[in-house]
Amino acid sequence: MELALCGMSALRALRQLRASGLSFATLQRIALPEPVPSPNGRWSQKSIREHLAQQGLELPFSRSAPLNVAVPHERLRLRVKGTKSTIFAKGLPEASFVRAGNVLLSSPELLFLEMGRFMAPEVQLLFGMELCGSFTRDAANPRNAQATFFVPAATSTQRIRSFLDSCHGVEGIKQAREALAYVVDNAWSPMEAVVAALATLPLEMLGYGLAPITLNERVETKGAGEKETRVPDLLVQGTSAGLNYDGVGHQDLKGVVDAALNLATHPGEESSAKELEGALAAARIGVLGDKRRDRDLSARGYTVLPVTKEDLYELGGLDRVMRQLIAIVEREGNRDLSRQRTALESRVIASLRQHFIWSLLPGNGAKEAREKLDRWLAPNEHPTLVTGELRDGALSQIEVRVL
């Protein structure tokens, strides 16, 4: 059977395959072939499911959530219930699909382009960070479920840019180009990607306007400490200032709590006591590692500020960190960030930005935050909401819009 997945089905397949350890950089890139049914010459839901299962793929396949299939011509549409065919007849470069075992799917670059039709722009930006980074979100529950880490990047910003430059008249390309402008290579986690996106987006899009930045670039600390190199999460290019995201799971504090509760439930039990002792020791090692990292970087002249989950979820939390980062960058004398500093003094922009941040984070309030933000920024209702309330000449030209 020869069958090519595209759209949301290809997205889920890509995430499942990356989570399994598959490197997309090694996959053969091919032109979209004609679909070929099972050996008996007939298409059926059963044969398609079995074909996908051979590659370990479990994908939605129903009238309400159809399997998205790519075909090169109208006459080749699949006539199978639960499938939806998309025609790719023109406008794409030759090698726009990849072969993963016995399954074909949109290449990472084509998939990024396709998401311009399905994703909100800011979600597509974060998806670009995922494709160009070393993590992949959960296929079934990308926002709230645990991501998979330490996987090979599926592509790069340069490869996506070259691909888009080779496309002509394809739906979604305008938004894809706009989102790609703020994608940065080498993000290591979803939350790190959120921080990076906010750092790169301009003030008008409720970011902090600190581009260009680099992510997880190894810097030399030889002679400054116990390691010859260290890896800050984020550095503002042309400066020695940056950020490190320290997440909840970073020190495995949950492991400590679970071990303590287990010991409380089984007092005097030797195995429970050893479990708690081990969890505390592991957390302590993590704390010491972070402090030594920061010390080594500081000795080499780097100022890397920690960002926590609480900074993102608390009202104005990330603004406080960014205000400090901006002060360090300006103190080095490399950039004039007066507009950024002035924007941080605006309560209106701070409120809009915080709702934007909440809309990007895991949790049940993300949808509500986005809906509220959209209502505030609806151009027909409040076209001058921000500029009319700021009363600050330096910001009079800023018309806030979300990417």
Side-chain angles (χ1 to χ4, degrees):
M1 178 180 290
E2 195 84 300
L3 184 68
L5 303 176
C6 64
M8 300 306 292
S9 295
L11 172 61
R12 291 186 65 140
L14 175 135
R15 284 172 166 161
Q16 289 181 30
L17 292 170
R18 290 190 75 200
S20 72
L22 181 67
S23 173
F24 273 73
T26 65
L27 298 183
Q28 179 188 7
R29 292 169 181 259
I30 61 173
L32 177 62
E34 293 189 5
V36 178
S38 58
N40 62 14
R42 297 178 56 189
W43 293 104
S44 69
Q45 283 197 354
K46 180 181 178 182
S47 64
I48 294 174
R49 288 185 191 278
E50 290 176 348
H51 178 70
L52 297 175
Q54 290 174 9
Q55 198 61 37
L57 296 176
E58 296 181 9
L59 304 175
F61 196 157
S62 66
R63 187 181 298 274
S64 59
L67 185 75
N68 303 113
V69 178
V71 296
H73 194 278
E74 169 74 28
R75 63 179 172 78
L76 296 172
R77 287 180 179 273
L78 266 65
R79 310 297 180 184
V80 180
K81 289 183 179 180
T83 66
K84 182 178 180 180
S85 298
T86 300
I87 302 168
F88 290 89
K90 58 182 179 179
L92 294 179
E94 274 289 304
S96 294
F97 289 79
V98 295
R99 185 179 296 279
N102 67 330
V103 174
L104 303 176
L105 67 154
S106 300
S107 68
E109 298 79 25
L110 173 56
L111 191 55
F112 180 80
L113 168 56
E114 288 185 85
M115 291 304 107
R117 299 167 48 209
F118 301 108
M119 289 180 171
E122 67 276 9
V123 178
Q124 186 177 14
L125 164 57
L126 294 179
F127 177 55
M129 298 273 197
E130 177 184 349
L131 286 174
C132 301
S134 59
F135 71 93
T136 187
R137 292 176 182 265
D138 182 77
N141 187 2
R143 183 182 289 273
N144 293 317
Q146 179 68 38
T148 302
F149 304 100
F150 309 112
V151 299
T155 185
S156 68
T157 54
Q158 182 55 51
R159 291 194 71 161
I160 297 175
R161 188 172 297 108
S162 296
F163 181 86
L164 296 181
D165 288 343
S166 301
C167 296
H168 306 283
V170 183
E171 186 179 358
I173 194 167
K174 183 177 182 293
Q175 179 177 300
R177 285 192 173 120
E178 291 175 352
L180 182 63
Y182 306 105
V183 175
V184 184
D185 291 317
N186 206 28
W188 286 4
S189 73
M191 296 294 268
E192 185 180 287
V194 169
V195 174
L198 292 164
T200 59
L201 285 171
L203 299 176
E204 291 79 3
M205 296 179 183
L206 298 178
Y208 295 97
L210 295 177
I213 65 171
T214 56
L215 295 179
N216 299 298
E217 183 177 84
R218 192 168 293 278
V219 301
E220 184 177 324
T221 55
K222 185 177 181 179
E226 60 187 38
K227 287 196 174 183
E228 295 189 352
T229 60
R230 290 290 190 177
V231 184
D233 291 350
L234 182 156
L235 284 176
V236 180
Q237 283 189 25
T239 79
S240 57
L243 302 169
N244 273 325
Y245 179 74
D246 295 331
V248 172
H250 184 61
Q251 309 298 352
D252 194 20
L253 298 181
K254 184 178 183 300
V256 175
V257 173
D258 289 345
L261 290 174
N262 187 41
L263 180 59
T265 306
H266 305 91
E269 188 175 273
E270 185 178 356
S271 61
S272 298
K274 287 185 176 180
E275 180 186 0
L276 177 58
E277 183 180 345
L280 288 168
R284 177 64 177 168
I285 290 172
V287 171
L288 288 173
D290 284 352
K291 290 186 179 299
R292 288 167 178 164
R293 174 202 63 196
D294 295 343
R295 191 168 61 213
D296 290 351
L297 289 168
S298 179
R300 276 297 182 188
Y302 288 89
T303 304
V304 181
L305 306 177
V307 178
T308 67
K309 176 182 176 181
E310 289 73 19
D311 291 322
L312 292 170
Y313 280 92
E314 290 176 4
L315 180 63
L318 190 58
D319 280 2
R320 288 192 293 271
V321 178
M322 290 299 187
R323 187 178 287 109
Q324 295 169 335
L325 179 60
I326 286 168
I328 297 167
V329 172
E330 286 198 309
R331 193 161 60 237
E332 291 189 3
N334 292 295
R335 295 171 65 177
D336 176 11
L337 298 177
S338 55
R339 291 182 80 243
Q340 282 83 346
R341 284 189 283 104
T342 306
L344 284 168
E345 295 170 4
S346 165
R347 292 184 179 180
V348 176
I349 290 181
S351 180
L352 294 172
R353 182 187 289 117
Q354 188 60 62
H355 278 79
F356 182 46
I357 294 172
W358 284 333
S359 75
L360 303 177
L361 301 177
N364 296 327
K367 182 179 179 181
E368 290 78 3
R370 180 67 214 207
E371 290 174 348
K372 190 171 185 179
L373 183 64
D374 286 342
R375 288 197 301 272
W376 284 347
L377 294 176
N380 295 328
E381 297 177 22
H382 304 291
T384 59
L385 171 67
V386 176
T387 55
E389 293 187 18
L390 288 179
R391 302 178 186 176
D392 191 315
L395 286 177
S396 62
Q397 300 304 311
I398 290 184
E399 181 180 345
V400 172
R401 67 183 181 90
V402 176
L403 176 69

